[in-house]
Amino acid sequence: MNILSLFSLLLLNSVLVHSGGVHGGHYYAFIRPTLSDQWFKFDDERVTKEDVKRALEEQYGGEEELPQTNPGFNNTPFKFTKYSNAYMLVYIRESDKEKIICGVDEKDIAEHLRTRLKKEQEEKEDKKRYKAQAHLYTIIKVARDEDLAYQIGKDIYFDLVDHDKVRSFRIQKQMPFNLFKEEIAKEFGIPIQFQRFWIWAKRQNHTYRPNRPLTSQEELQNVGQLREVSNKAHNAELKLFLEVELGLDLCPIAPPDKTKEDILLFFKLYDPEKEELRYVGRLFVKSSGKPAEYLTKLNEMAGFAPDEEIELYEEIKFEPCVMCERLDKRTTFRFSQIEDGDIICFQKRPPPESEEKMRHLDVPSFFDYVKNRQIVHFRLLERPKEEDFCLELSKLHTYDDVVEKVAQQLGLDDSSKIRLTSHNCYSQQPKPSPIKYRSVDNLLEMLVHYNQISDILYYEVLDIPLPELQCLKTLKVAFHHPTKDEVLIHNIRLPKQSTVGDVLDELKTKVELSHPDAELRLLEVFYHKIYKIFPLGEKIENINDQYWTLRAEEIPEEEKNLGQHDRLIHVYHFTKETAQNQMQVQNFGEPFFLVIHEGETLSEVKVRIQKKLQIPDEEFSKWKFAFLSLGRPEYLQDSDIVSSRFQRRDVYGAWEQYLGLEHSDTTPKRAYAANQNRHTFEKPVKIYN
């Protein structure tokens, strides 16, 4: 049976399509679930109806030709590569289609799937109903002492509570607030008469504190009215603090009467030895009273002896920086501008000898530490994907502080030999340039990248101190020996005011020359083309070896004694590739210079090239030779005079015209290990530092 006969017995049921390129893309499917011609497109969670033409005819790969806008003119049709094509086709036998494509009853679905689908449908309907009725409800978040005690020192340090982690209630806006209090009584076991609710308020310094108790008139309102009174932002939430007073038997009692003279304060206790902060309770104080009058009570709340010496601090704000000031115990609360909802932090007075033993001696220094502490993950620059170690630092640490911590971690005596490089948050790679010695004020500047804060730094251990290194210029130079088939990469380090001649003199002491009097030159190579021969007197300070390859080589004797009509030309290897319907020249391999003489034919030049490159006859016979100008090859015959093609002087750069050697690229694709961005492949590489 031939293939056409076979397909006549099959029915196309589905088409799996890949959209994108060879390096990535997206899959979706066209499926015909019934015997009709109706197709459906399944694209992740989106399912849409599609016609036959869209499902079938438009899923061929290859190229498509746009219709001509001016058919009367002889325009070249514009073709473009399709971005999607069928990846897999699913057929069913015509004889089996009634069995396979048939109606599905609920009983045909496995029980566990029916249960799951039913649950998903119910959840979907619940969400839809919840969203549709959202305008009828208010979310009330109720914070209690238990929440403060649980969160402070664990989840949070500043302010009193994270409202997203307290008990919330979804209440109809029309419900009277007194009925809501009955729900609170059921939920927390607090009788209505023992409940007192406070409204939270956001202050100008961006803190969030209990502001005042609800009035009896407000509690007569419904929930929706109360939310609008308390929340100027008019969002769906009402935040409350539930004040509950406990008697000696720890049972709820009626809250005390509150006058304008009474202030509700919240207290946190700091232990400098353990570096721990915890919530110890709240207290009503008199506005005209002084903190000194409440010290015994505070010691009792903290579990201290009644006469323990303690220091008090007011927690004022923490954005954009921490503000926590010592509270004068002999000044009235009113004079100190203390009001409802304020937070007082206190601690034992540290003894004088404890300064050296404790990192954060008092509340302000501890808050500064908490606010600015940063875990930094350090990676060796040579292995940028592998974490080496991490340190807990402060965003306020100076440059010297950071490198000193790194040096201690690595066991180095001289921290100036540490060089750091910041992280690029978008590329997930080290930034191209390292951090200069003391060029940043603090750790935060090292971590910020376009308003994002990273937690990664890269480090190097240098052989000389960084300040000394920054006065030098280091160049990676690839030395090509005239006879040995290998490339030696050397790091040449010289003062920035040095010249190219100094670089070559230094290189001569590191490499093996063909003879003692050999002269060297330095070339700039990029994408397998020679762009520049550096003058010996050029300063090295501005030479860039990050993207361009610096190549050093001996100057052949024949180039030193050029005749009047001799020409020095560029010779490059190339192949031809088809891209977007256009033939393009692709260079590869090592470019080189060649002297051509007046009247010399291509066959004579080929002899010298074969000898220079040491190519076997069988392989060399397959090579083609072309004169290339601006990327367009003109193929040469053996009898052509090569020098006649290289007469123009008005070219922008010598690389624009060159003798091209067309042959297949069989060299192993191994980049220079010194820099993976150079696109230079060829000979075996050795690296010398």
Side-chain angles (χ1 to χ4, degrees):
M1 181 181 293
N2 61 40
I3 192 70
L4 293 177
S5 300
L6 175 63
F7 275 97
S8 67
L9 301 177
L10 299 177
L11 177 70
L12 183 62
N13 177 251
S14 62
V15 181
L16 177 63
V17 179
H18 177 259
S19 172
V22 295
H23 299 295
H26 175 62
Y27 288 96
Y28 51 89
F30 293 93
I31 302 175
R32 177 167 55 175
T34 67
L35 293 175
S36 71
D37 288 334
Q38 181 61 65
W39 287 79
F40 292 85
K41 180 181 178 182
F42 291 78
D43 189 354
D44 291 338
E45 74 281 356
R46 183 178 173 82
V47 180
T48 56
K49 288 184 177 182
E50 299 289 347
D51 58 29
V52 175
K53 184 177 185 299
R54 170 69 174 152
L56 303 184
E57 296 180 19
E58 296 186 12
Q59 303 313 319
Y60 288 93
E63 297 175 338
E64 185 165 343
E65 185 176 305
L66 287 180
Q68 294 188 13
T69 54
N70 297 311
F73 293 88
N74 187 22
N75 293 331
T76 302
F78 180 77
K79 296 182 178 181
F80 64 93
T81 303
K82 288 188 175 182
Y83 69 90
S84 63
N85 62 282
Y87 184 78
M88 183 169 64
L89 307 178
V90 179
Y91 290 87
I92 60 174
R93 289 191 184 96
E94 281 277 359
S95 58
D96 293 336
K97 66 182 182 181
E98 302 290 347
K99 301 176 185 177
I100 297 174
I101 303 179
C102 58
V104 178
D105 200 310
E106 186 173 335
K107 66 178 185 301
D108 297 320
I109 304 174
E111 183 178 354
H112 72 281
L113 286 178
R114 291 203 305 269
T115 304
R116 177 178 172 181
L117 291 172
K118 183 178 179 182
K119 183 179 179 182
E120 289 180 355
Q121 185 61 30
E122 290 174 350
E123 290 176 350
K124 185 176 180 180
E125 291 176 357
D126 287 343
K127 288 181 180 178
K128 185 177 180 181
R129 188 163 47 249
Y130 186 95
K131 187 175 182 180
Q133 298 176 352
H135 66 287
L136 302 176
Y137 288 83
T138 289
I139 302 298
I140 302 180
K141 294 185 174 181
V142 179
R144 302 182 296 153
D145 281 311
E146 289 86 344
D147 297 308
L148 276 58
Y150 179 78
Q151 292 187 23
I152 292 173
K154 180 182 177 183
D155 297 335
I156 63 171
Y157 290 88
F158 303 102
D159 270 354
L160 294 172
V161 75
D162 180 350
H163 291 274
D164 291 334
K165 297 180 180 179
V166 304
R167 180 71 171 86
S168 64
F169 301 83
R170 187 168 182 260
I171 305 297
Q172 286 190 348
K173 293 180 179 179
Q174 299 305 315
M175 176 185 283
F177 188 78
N178 281 324
L179 285 182
F180 169 69
K181 293 176 70 174
E182 292 182 6
E183 284 207 22
I184 293 295
K186 294 176 185 176
E187 178 69 22
F188 298 132
I190 309 296
I192 293 176
Q193 65 270 26
F194 300 150
Q195 301 173 14
R196 180 155 63 189
F197 289 91
W198 290 65
I199 291 178
W200 294 78
K202 187 174 184 179
R203 299 182 176 178
Q204 290 183 346
N205 60 11
H206 304 293
T207 59
Y208 211 58
R209 307 286 172 80
N211 185 45
R212 62 174 179 82
L214 291 177
T215 65
S216 55
Q217 290 81 8
E218 287 173 332
E219 292 194 0
L220 294 176
Q221 297 177 350
N222 60 43
V223 168
Q225 293 171 318
L226 187 57
R227 187 209 66 185
E228 293 175 4
V229 169
S230 66
N231 197 331
K232 295 180 180 179
H234 296 294
N235 61 27
E237 292 184 353
L238 170 62
K239 296 183 178 70
L240 299 173
F241 174 72
L242 174 58
E243 176 198 348
V244 178
E245 299 295 333
L246 301 178
L248 296 177
D249 57 358
L250 300 182
C251 292
I253 60 175
D257 293 334
K258 183 184 183 307
T259 66
K260 291 184 178 180
E261 180 71 9
D262 296 313
I263 304 173
L264 179 63
L265 301 182
F266 294 83
F267 293 89
K268 300 177 183 178
L269 175 66
Y270 173 58
D271 184 341
E273 292 184 3
K274 298 180 180 179
E275 294 184 5
E276 291 179 353
L277 185 76
R278 63 186 178 94
Y279 175 69
V280 291
R282 51 185 166 74
L283 196 64
F284 279 104
V285 300
K286 297 296 183 182
S287 177
S288 58
K290 301 176 182 179
E293 301 169 10
Y294 297 90
L295 298 182
T296 302
K297 180 61 178 176
L298 293 180
N299 280 327
E300 179 186 341
M301 293 166 63
F304 296 161
D307 58 348
E308 180 70 54
E309 289 285 336
I310 58 176
E311 298 290 345
L312 278 62
Y313 301 86
E314 181 191 0
E315 178 188 323
I316 300 172
K317 66 174 184 176
F318 57 94
E319 291 292 351
C321 57
V322 173
M323 189 172 181
C324 183
E325 297 181 350
R326 187 187 297 271
L327 194 64
D328 189 341
K329 290 180 282 190
R330 297 167 296 178
T331 303
T332 64
F333 290 107
R334 181 184 293 114
F335 186 83
S336 298
Q337 298 182 332
I338 301 298
E339 57 186 22
D340 279 319
D342 280 346
I343 302 171
I344 306 298
C345 303
F346 67 99
Q347 66 177 93
K348 289 183 181 180
R349 176 179 292 175
E353 67 275 8
S354 63
E355 291 189 14
E356 297 180 358
K357 300 179 182 179
M358 302 178 190
R359 292 196 309 167
H360 310 292
L361 200 61
D362 55 26
V363 173
S365 65
F366 176 72
F367 274 163
D368 280 331
Y369 156 71
V370 170
K371 170 70 176 174
N372 296 294
R373 64 181 169 184
Q374 176 71 53
I375 302 297
V376 181
H377 302 268
F378 287 89
R379 301 176 181 179
L380 192 62
L381 188 63
E382 296 175 358
R383 298 194 297 270
K385 295 295 184 183
E386 303 174 20
E387 181 177 326
D388 200 350
F389 59 89
C390 60
L391 295 175
E392 183 183 277
L393 304 173
S394 169
K395 294 173 186 174
L396 302 181
H397 272 159
T398 65
Y399 174 90
D400 288 345
D401 293 333
V402 175
V403 294
E404 183 62 38
K405 295 284 186 181
V406 175
Q408 290 175 7
Q409 173 71 26
L410 299 174
L412 292 178
D413 295 331
D414 188 357
S415 63
S416 68
K417 291 185 178 181
I418 298 294
R419 180 163 67 178
L420 301 175
T421 300
S422 296
H423 179 70
N424 185 317
C425 297
Y426 298 104
S427 68
Q428 296 297 307
Q429 294 285 339
K431 289 186 179 180
S433 302
I435 299 171
K436 293 184 178 180
Y437 181 72
R438 291 180 176 172
S439 63
V440 294
D441 291 331
N442 51 50
L443 173 65
L444 183 60
E445 290 185 27
M446 299 182 188
L447 300 178
V448 170
H449 179 240
Y450 289 109
N451 296 324
Q452 291 192 48
I453 297 182
S454 167
D455 61 353
I456 297 172
L457 282 177
Y458 304 89
Y459 75 93
E460 301 168 85
V461 179
L462 307 172
D463 56 344
I464 61 173
L466 181 56
E468 182 180 336
L469 179 64
Q470 287 183 176
C471 296
L472 305 175
K473 175 77 173 182
T474 301
L475 295 176
K476 288 184 174 64
V477 180
F479 176 70
H480 291 235
H481 196 278
T483 59
K484 294 184 178 181
D485 191 23
E486 67 178 13
V487 177
L488 307 179
I489 295 183
H490 292 270
N491 287 316
I492 306 298
R493 183 186 289 164
L494 293 170
K496 292 182 178 180
Q497 296 304 311
S498 302
T499 64
V500 170
D502 297 328
V503 172
L504 296 177
D505 289 341
E506 177 71 14
L507 188 63
K508 286 179 182 179
T509 66
K510 299 176 179 289
V511 301
E512 178 186 349
L513 302 175
S514 61
H515 58 91
D517 297 328
E519 295 181 33
L520 301 182
R521 64 184 170 203
L522 188 67
L523 311 176
E524 180 182 85
V525 179
F526 185 60
Y527 275 89
H528 316 285
K529 293 183 178 181
I530 299 171
Y531 280 76
K532 182 177 182 179
I533 303 176
F534 288 97
L536 294 179
E538 182 169 340
K539 295 286 194 298
I540 67 172
E541 184 173 6
N542 297 320
I543 294 179
N544 188 341
D545 66 344
Q546 184 175 357
Y547 303 108
W548 292 265
T549 298
L550 299 180
R551 187 173 99 186
E553 61 186 20
E554 292 186 15
I555 302 175
E557 290 299 321
E558 66 172 354
E559 293 185 24
K560 298 178 184 177
N561 303 300
L562 290 178
Q564 182 179 358
H565 300 291
D566 292 338
R567 296 291 303 275
L568 187 65
I569 66 170
H570 293 230
V571 184
Y572 302 155
H573 304 268
F574 78 95
T575 61
K576 288 192 299 185
E577 296 182 355
T578 302
Q580 297 180 348
N581 295 321
Q582 292 184 346
M583 192 67 70
Q584 293 184 350
V585 168
Q586 185 72 34
N587 294 106
F588 67 92
E590 295 291 353
F592 60 93
F593 289 115
L594 184 71
V595 175
I596 56 172
H597 309 294
E598 185 180 18
E600 191 174 23
T601 64
L602 176 64
S603 60
E604 294 171 323
V605 172
K606 286 167 64 175
V607 171
R608 293 195 289 121
I609 290 177
Q610 183 178 7
K611 181 180 179 181
K612 177 181 179 67
L613 300 180
Q614 299 180 350
I615 307 299
D617 291 342
E618 182 179 357
E619 181 182 345
F620 194 71
S621 65
K622 302 175 184 177
W623 289 21
K624 296 180 182 179
F625 293 76
F627 169 75
L628 284 97
S629 177
L630 298 175
R632 293 187 296 272
E634 298 176 26
Y635 289 93
L636 304 176
Q637 303 299 320
D638 284 352
S639 59
D640 288 343
I641 305 300
V642 178
S643 60
S644 65
R645 300 300 182 106
F646 292 90
Q647 297 300 315
R648 284 183 55 197
R649 301 284 183 176
D650 58 339
V651 292
Y652 178 75
W655 64 87
E656 290 185 350
Q657 291 186 349
Y658 61 88
L659 179 64
L661 315 180
E662 182 183 2
H663 60 96
S664 59
D665 181 8
T666 59
T667 56
K669 299 298 186 288
R670 180 183 59 249
Y672 282 152
N675 192 323
Q676 296 297 323
N677 295 326
R678 287 179 174 151
H679 308 281
T680 308
F681 311 92
E682 272 299 311
K683 302 175 181 179
V685 177
K686 290 186 179 180
I687 301 175
Y688 295 88
N689 292 318

